Amino acid sequence: MSGTHPAGPGVVRQLTVDEVWRALSHASFAVLSHVTPGGEPRSSGVVYVMSGNRMYVVVAQDSWKARQITANESVAVTVPIRRGGVMSLLVHIPPATISFPATALVHPGAMLADRPELARLAPPERRDRFAVVEITPAGHFVTYGVGVPLMRMSDHAASRARLSIEQ
């Protein structure tokens, strides 16, 4: 599957990687999934900030996430993209989503002092309690409903796209 979306009878719309990066930069919540050293899958919601083509998350320095991601840098991320505005109050509209595999590196919270664009992740007086997880998307973005008109989201073929992150 490529980034092509049927936009109507005989009309095809191409979702671009730039549109996906833009959608990621406008959102701030993601589900981060990883595997424990014992092979158990885990996921949790995180608040993030994008800087360039990397996602940054703050976690407690002594948390399971910090320890387990340090042990196994492979993670998966799903970002729900809220849709619908007032219409979502009247009709159940699931969010659009962007999912991707990634590598993650855990850094000391002190790195935030050198990165003003990440400063909102944690107040300066508490940074010594945090670790910063740097997430680098790899492989492909798999999207659902991104760049698709709201009323077309029920058309699964039109709503799905798979785009190489390296385009």
Side-chain angles (χ1 to χ4, degrees):
M1 181 177 0
S2 70
T4 301
H5 292 299
V11 179
V12 175
R13 183 188 176 292
Q14 183 76 27
L15 180 66
T16 68
V17 173
D18 287 339
E19 288 176 290
V20 175
W21 286 117
R22 196 169 19 266
L24 289 171
S25 69
H26 286 102
S28 61
F29 176 80
V31 177
L32 176 63
S33 301
H34 61 281
V35 178
T36 69
E40 300 278 329
R42 294 281 185 265
S43 64
S44 58
V46 294
V47 174
Y48 72 89
V49 170
M50 294 295 296
S51 180
N53 291 349
R54 288 189 168 72
M55 179 180 280
Y56 293 87
V57 174
V58 170
V59 299
Q61 200 172 41
D62 61 349
S63 69
W64 284 22
K65 273 186 280 210
R67 289 191 310 267
Q68 292 168 356
I69 291 171
T70 298
N72 180 353
E73 298 174 350
S74 293
V75 298
V77 177
T78 297
V79 177
I81 307 294
R82 190 167 177 265
R83 302 276 309 249
V86 175
M87 183 94 146
S88 66
L89 299 173
L90 305 172
V91 179
H92 175 70
I93 299 169
T97 57
I98 301 169
S99 298
F100 54 90
T103 57
L105 298 173
V106 179
H107 303 284
M111 85 168 283
L112 294 174
D114 299 328
R115 304 287 304 270
E117 74 276 18
L118 307 179
R120 66 182 171 164
L121 286 171
E125 65 276 6
R126 298 179 62 206
R127 290 182 183 157
D128 61 340
R129 297 183 215 158
F130 292 110
V132 178
V133 181
E134 176 183 0
I135 300 167
T136 304
H140 289 85
F141 288 124
V142 176
T143 68
Y144 189 84
V146 177
V148 176
L150 200 55
M151 299 314 286
R152 297 277 327 243
M153 282 183 70
S154 63
D155 179 347
H156 297 291
S159 295
R160 294 182 300 201
R162 178 182 167 99
L163 300 112
S164 174
I165 291 170
E166 300 300 323
Q167 287 184 348

